[in-house]
Amino acid sequence: MNAPSSLKVLVLASTFPRWQGDKEPPFVYELSRRLVQHPHIANVHVLAPHAQGAALTEEWEGLKITRFRYFFEKWQTLAYAGGILANLKQNRWRYALVPFFMLGEAIALWRLLRRESFDVIHAHWLIPQGLIALLVCKLLPRPVPKILCTSHGGDLFALRGKGLTQLKTYVLKNVSAMTVVSEAMFQEALRLGADAQKMYVIPMGVDVQTQFIPNATCTRHADSLLFVGRLVEKKGIHYLLQAMPTVLARYPHVQLRIIGTGTEAKALQDLAQQLQIVPHVQFIGAVENKNLPQLYQSHAIVIFPSIIANDGDREGFGLVLVEALGCECAVIATDLPAMQDILQDQQTALIVPQRDVSALAEALCTLLANPAKARQLGEQGRQFVVARYDWQIIAQRYGQLLVEMG
């Protein structure tokens, strides 16, 4: 183990805020900035993709950030705005960017490792970051940094086909240590050949102590429903919209607010028109992360109708579930294995089968008819997540693992 404050960590990620106040998911940033505060970690440096309007190098709260170019600036559209997988689905021409992305990241990583000494590389996602870290380290003289790879779900479940499966297995078998964010992912990684002795289940966290908390001064609107997340296939929003006519037949004043952007936005808006529910559905778009708590606090019921997408993509861990429960919202979610780490039916949420429109509509009507039940679910849900998923707990677990590796 290194002496106090001597460990140097290099973080690789393809999702990271492009600028202050960005609406991209912040979980890699939130973990990384907390690792900077660890007593045995000297510095943390993040390498992430560049995007139009973003700085190439900067420093936030002691966190060094380098962004690598991989194409002409205005055409760097592979990462962000829904994620790499969703962006590839939306526009097949973006597959042409993949080799440029991987080469750009590999060159940037090689340069950083030649210029600076790091003890551990923390690569988020098996492919491309985990794979690139392994390949670049093979080109460097020994000793090279140890590699911790964290899989978040889509990279483990959705990348199918013989070649991609072999690449996933290669990463799983060759990194120094591996973390996944749910028990369901742990079992899938074992199936692909991962070594259980170097595998850990450590999810991402949420600030449920100061940010995602109940607010007694904020009025919850009992007839307002909320969805928060990327507008992509695996989120199952089509089924939520299809459930709305049944709900509206019994509760005609209900309003559904959908927060987020993504490749399915236009299709979802068209579906709302076809179902003739446009007056009852608001597509808000993306909001800054600092404004999310107030949205949760003003809604009694939050819905997560996630599914296993046609290409196998699915949730690795429901981080927005933890945010909602932290704010004491009543949650309705589907029965995906990854949700089972967080949710207990009738205790912390109502759980329905995925793709089951009737069951989803019935669960919504149940909570709309019984506000006391909704409050009870929210209160019990908050107690559960505060004890397990606060960033203070999660960052300590990751920090301890990194220090042990270094």
Side-chain angles (χ1 to χ4, degrees):
M1 184 183 295
N2 284 267
S5 298
S6 67
L7 193 73
K8 296 182 178 180
V9 180
L10 176 58
V11 176
L12 309 183
S14 50
T15 293
F16 193 84
R18 295 163 291 183
W19 43 76
Q20 296 281 8
D22 192 10
K23 297 168 184 175
E24 286 293 310
F27 53 88
V28 175
Y29 163 65
E30 293 291 348
L31 174 59
S32 299
R33 75 178 182 90
R34 286 171 170 84
L35 291 176
V36 172
Q37 302 166 12
H38 194 283
H40 298 299
I41 295 178
N43 65 62
V44 180
H45 196 135
V46 177
L47 179 64
H50 184 254
Q52 191 169 20
L56 287 169
T57 59
E58 58 185 326
E59 186 169 323
W60 297 348
E61 301 179 72
L63 190 65
K64 297 178 182 179
I65 303 165
T66 298
R67 297 185 179 88
F68 64 90
R69 295 186 188 274
Y70 59 94
F71 212 68
F72 301 110
E73 185 168 313
K74 70 176 182 179
W75 292 330
Q76 291 181 148
T77 58
L78 187 59
Y80 307 116
I84 291 177
L85 289 176
N87 288 330
L88 289 172
K89 289 180 190 177
Q90 182 189 45
N91 188 339
R92 296 293 177 177
W93 287 104
R94 290 190 175 123
Y95 277 98
L97 292 171
V98 172
F100 294 99
F101 183 98
M102 296 189 71
L103 182 61
E105 185 169 26
I107 291 172
L109 175 59
W110 183 81
R111 287 174 174 168
L112 268 176
L113 293 177
R114 290 295 299 268
R115 189 172 71 235
E116 298 183 43
S117 174
F118 293 97
D119 300 293
V120 183
I121 295 173
H122 188 184
H124 289 265
W125 291 279
L126 293 163
I127 301 173
Q129 279 73 236
L131 177 63
I132 289 171
L134 285 170
L135 295 179
V136 170
C137 284
K138 281 186 175 294
L139 301 176
L140 295 170
R142 302 288 173 175
V144 295
K146 293 181 179 178
I147 300 172
L148 168 64
C149 185
T150 295
S151 175
H152 294 278
D155 54 334
L156 187 66
F157 291 121
L159 299 176
R160 293 178 166 182
K162 184 177 180 181
L164 288 171
T165 299
Q166 289 175 338
L167 289 176
K168 288 190 292 186
T169 298
Y170 172 76
V171 176
L172 287 166
K173 288 185 174 182
N174 286 279
V175 293
S176 309
M178 185 78 207
T179 64
V180 292
V181 296
S182 67
E183 287 290 342
M185 291 181 63
F186 185 89
Q187 297 303 320
E188 177 67 9
L190 291 181
R191 189 186 70 80
L192 290 172
D195 181 356
Q197 297 301 311
K198 60 179 184 180
M199 286 270 297
Y200 305 85
V201 178
I202 312 179
M204 293 293 102
V206 170
D207 181 357
V208 292
Q209 297 292 343
T210 63
Q211 186 180 16
F212 292 92
I213 59 177
N215 185 349
T217 66
C218 188
T219 301
R220 290 193 190 270
H221 303 290
D223 57 355
S224 291
L225 312 177
L226 183 66
F227 168 86
V228 177
R230 287 175 168 170
L231 308 190
V232 294
E233 182 190 359
K234 69 178 179 181
K235 299 297 184 179
I237 313 162
H238 286 79
Y239 300 95
L240 173 56
L241 293 178
Q242 290 169 16
M244 285 297 291
T246 300
V247 174
L248 288 167
R250 294 168 62 178
Y251 299 95
H253 299 297
V254 162
Q255 294 285 320
L256 169 63
R257 293 185 176 90
I258 295 176
I259 309 298
T261 59
T263 54
E264 296 280 305
K266 179 63 166 59
L268 293 168
Q269 291 166 359
D270 290 345
L271 178 59
Q273 282 199 325
Q274 294 169 18
L275 295 169
Q276 300 181 344
I277 58 173
V278 170
H280 299 275
V281 180
Q282 293 177 276
F283 289 89
I284 307 295
V287 302
E288 289 190 32
N289 292 290
K290 66 180 182 180
N291 295 327
L292 284 175
Q294 185 177 1
L295 282 165
Y296 290 122
Q297 291 160 359
S298 61
H299 290 76
I301 303 171
V302 185
I303 308 100
F304 301 97
S306 301
I307 63 170
I308 299 174
N310 291 328
D311 65 354
D313 193 11
R314 68 182 82 172
E315 302 283 2
F317 179 76
L319 204 57
V320 285
L321 280 173
V322 180
E323 294 175 351
L325 292 172
C327 295
E328 285 192 358
C329 298
V331 162
I332 298 173
T334 50
D335 58 353
L336 293 187
M339 305 296 190
Q340 295 174 12
D341 288 7
I342 312 169
L343 303 178
Q344 296 173 300
D345 192 28
Q346 302 295 328
Q347 299 298 315
T348 58
L350 296 187
I351 299 176
V352 300
Q354 61 164 320
R355 301 178 187 265
D356 191 330
V357 173
S358 297
L360 182 55
E362 186 59 34
L364 284 164
C365 290
T366 296
L367 291 188
L368 287 167
N370 193 343
K373 175 67 172 178
R375 285 193 298 272
Q376 181 188 35
L377 289 175
E379 291 168 0
Q380 293 175 172
R382 175 169 171 78
Q383 292 174 10
F384 185 84
V385 299
V386 165
R388 293 166 177 82
Y389 301 117
D390 184 65
W391 265 126
Q392 186 174 353
I393 298 170
I394 299 302
Q396 179 62 33
R397 294 180 65 189
Y398 271 102
Q400 181 179 347
L401 176 57
L402 288 164
V403 169
E404 289 174 355
M405 290 178 63

